[in-house]
Amino acid sequence: MKRFLLALQVLIALIVGAIVGFSSKTVGLDVQVLGAAFIRLIEMAIVPLIFPLIVLGVAQMRSVRRLGRIAGKTILYFEVVTTVILIVAVILANVTGVGRATSLPGQPAQLSGIAQGIDFETFLLDIIPKNIFSALANGNLLPIVFFSIFLGLALATLGDEAKPVTDFLESMSKAMFKVIEYIVKFTPIGVFGYIAYDIAKYGWASLGALAEFIAVAYVGFALIVFVILPITAMIFRVKYWSLLRAVWDLVFLAFITRSSEVVLAPLTERLEQYGADNSIVSFVLPTGYSFNLDGATLYEAVAVIFLSHVYGIHFSIGHQFAIIGILMVLTKGLAGVPSAAIVVLLATAKSIGLPAEGIALLMGIDFVIDMARTATNVIGNSLASIVIAKSENVFRVKTPSPLAASNDI
């Protein structure tokens, strides 16, 4: 219900912002401060949120290692599938040229380094922080991620001795979840401010770009559901369409509510009814909610390329692979974060120099994207559970009864 109310508020803010922008150019330009303040709030929370999450994600891998072969297969499967999706998303965004028909001036001083391309030697050296506290203070995301991985590995080897540190980081991450929850409540205000500003400054161009982005994103989600996942299922000899029929109602529920958490419990039961062993589903499905966000992965990649086109920034192939690498890290472990897609997108944009104003544009239509994004995540994790179960020879074909299916929702 809260998600629906927020989406309704954002929709109203989008409409009112457009009306204000068309009606009064002066007022539209003046209310940009509301959008800018909202972006500042998110930027304020990015580093203290991402730092503990990455450290804990790596540190807790020691418990995953005890699961041995199953954990290894699961993580490898997630990484391969999400990487393929990232590459497909980048290709899709480049082939369609999404955003190229629209030109919104960015911030030249911020973008000049990107426009000139990448010096990979400098790029790689800059990832290693000379001073982690300086990187934290300046919000230099890649050095922070690099240090976080090393710190997580160190904590993993210390075992119980690291518990005071991990307890602190867990408390910090929970506190930051709450901070993000507070910030998300201001989303309608931020959307109103930036939509009014963009319409006042650029007219219909920004609305046309948003419609184009929605269309390309939905094409991408369709490619995942009807091409990438069926091919994956065929490789592992899983009856994909049979599986989809078994869980379609839960996928639809996730689509309507925009929440994969809502269907976690009934989906676990449904996959067990379908034939997967409980021990596999209980591990793979929750893990997939953090490490196998197929829909979110595609969205982030398409959004970054879209913004680069809108602001007239040319990314070389090398830089696009660098973006894929950033997204491979940042899209992991943020499933429980409110508006995680926007947080990851802003963090990625910040690390490669894209203007934050463009992300505010996408916020206005995020609820439309989020429906398909969430449903795609659910389908991807359902397939992953069956694939791992079959690989472990603990899958037995069953057919869930219609009564059982209707009782799940």
Side-chain angles (χ1 to χ4, degrees):
M1 189 62 181
K2 288 182 180 179
R3 283 173 174 261
F4 174 77
L5 291 175
L6 181 62
L8 182 61
Q9 291 169 6
V10 169
L11 178 60
I12 293 171
L14 177 66
I15 295 171
V16 174
I19 293 172
V20 170
F22 279 122
S23 303
S24 173
K25 187 171 184 177
T26 302
V27 175
L29 294 175
D30 287 343
V31 297
Q32 182 197 15
V33 66
L34 298 176
F38 179 68
I39 292 294
R40 284 284 187 92
L41 286 172
I42 297 181
E43 289 178 331
M44 171 188 74
I46 284 177
V47 170
L49 171 68
I50 287 179
F51 173 70
L53 283 177
I54 294 177
V55 174
L56 288 170
V58 176
Q60 291 169 355
M61 288 298 287
R62 69 183 188 273
S63 62
V64 173
R65 282 202 300 269
R66 286 199 294 265
L67 297 175
R69 184 179 64 253
I70 295 174
K73 286 181 181 179
T74 301
I75 299 300
L76 179 61
Y77 174 88
F78 290 162
E79 288 299 330
V80 170
V81 171
T82 53
T83 301
V84 169
I85 289 172
L86 277 172
I87 294 171
V88 169
V90 170
I91 293 172
L92 174 67
N94 280 288
V95 169
T96 60
V98 59
R100 279 191 182 137
T102 306
S103 179
L104 304 183
Q107 302 172 16
Q110 186 178 359
L111 303 176
S112 58
I114 295 177
Q116 297 170 4
I118 294 180
D119 179 341
F120 275 99
E121 182 177 334
T122 303
F123 178 75
L124 291 174
L125 287 176
D126 285 346
I127 293 177
I128 306 172
K130 294 179 180 178
N131 184 329
I132 186 57
F133 296 103
S134 175
L136 289 167
N138 295 323
N140 296 331
L141 202 64
L142 290 182
I144 292 170
V145 170
F146 184 85
F147 176 78
S148 300
I149 292 172
F150 269 81
L151 180 58
L153 289 171
L155 293 175
T157 61
L158 291 176
D160 291 338
E161 292 180 336
K163 196 171 188 308
V165 178
T166 56
D167 286 346
F168 167 75
L169 291 174
E170 285 177 359
S171 297
M172 182 179 177
S173 65
K174 289 177 182 178
M176 292 312 303
F177 285 173
K178 189 59 67 175
V179 169
I180 293 291
E181 281 185 22
Y182 296 150
I183 293 173
V184 165
K185 295 181 187 299
F186 293 96
T187 301
I189 297 174
V191 167
F192 165 76
Y194 262 125
I195 290 296
Y197 170 79
D198 285 318
I199 295 297
K201 191 165 185 178
Y202 309 119
W204 287 102
S206 57
L207 289 182
L210 291 177
E212 183 187 10
F213 176 77
I214 291 173
V216 172
Y218 267 74
V219 169
F221 296 138
L223 283 174
I224 293 175
V225 173
F226 297 109
V227 179
I228 296 175
L229 294 183
I231 290 175
T232 304
M234 184 173 63
I235 292 171
F236 292 98
R237 299 183 179 181
V238 173
K239 294 181 179 179
Y240 179 76
W241 304 111
S242 170
L243 172 63
L244 210 54
R245 284 195 298 272
V247 300
W248 74 267
D249 51 337
L250 297 179
V251 172
F252 182 70
L253 180 61
F255 180 86
I256 295 298
T257 62
R258 299 167 47 227
S259 172
S260 52
E261 286 79 9
V262 166
V263 300
L264 177 58
L267 185 60
T268 300
E269 183 178 353
R270 186 70 61 81
L271 292 174
E272 292 170 11
Q273 292 173 350
Y274 186 72
D277 186 82
N278 172 267
S279 62
I280 300 295
V281 177
S282 297
F283 171 75
V284 175
L285 202 56
T287 305
Y289 271 39
S290 289
F291 287 88
N292 191 44
L293 301 175
D294 296 344
T297 297
L298 178 129
Y299 166 80
E300 303 292 350
V302 172
V304 168
I305 303 300
F306 165 76
L307 291 176
S308 74
H309 289 165
V310 165
Y311 287 101
I313 306 162
H314 173 68
F315 282 141
S316 67
I317 296 298
H319 203 102
Q320 291 185 24
F321 275 111
I323 293 170
I324 289 174
I326 294 170
L327 289 170
M328 283 176 64
V329 176
L330 295 183
T331 52
K332 305 296 187 289
L334 286 177
V337 181
S339 293
I342 294 299
V343 173
V344 171
L345 184 56
L346 188 56
T348 305
K350 185 178 178 66
S351 68
I352 61 178
L354 285 170
E357 293 91 333
I359 295 163
L361 262 180
L362 297 180
M363 289 179 185
I365 46 91
D366 188 64
F367 67 96
V368 178
I369 301 291
D370 194 31
M371 297 171 78
R373 187 169 61 209
T374 302
T376 304
N377 291 341
V378 169
I379 295 171
N381 285 316
S382 298
L383 175 60
S385 299
I386 303 303
V387 167
I388 302 303
K390 287 203 73 171
S391 72
E392 289 293 305
N393 295 316
V394 288
F395 175 78
R396 300 290 181 269
V397 179
K398 301 175 184 177
T399 303
S401 69
L403 180 61
S406 64
N407 287 338
D408 281 344
I409 304 180

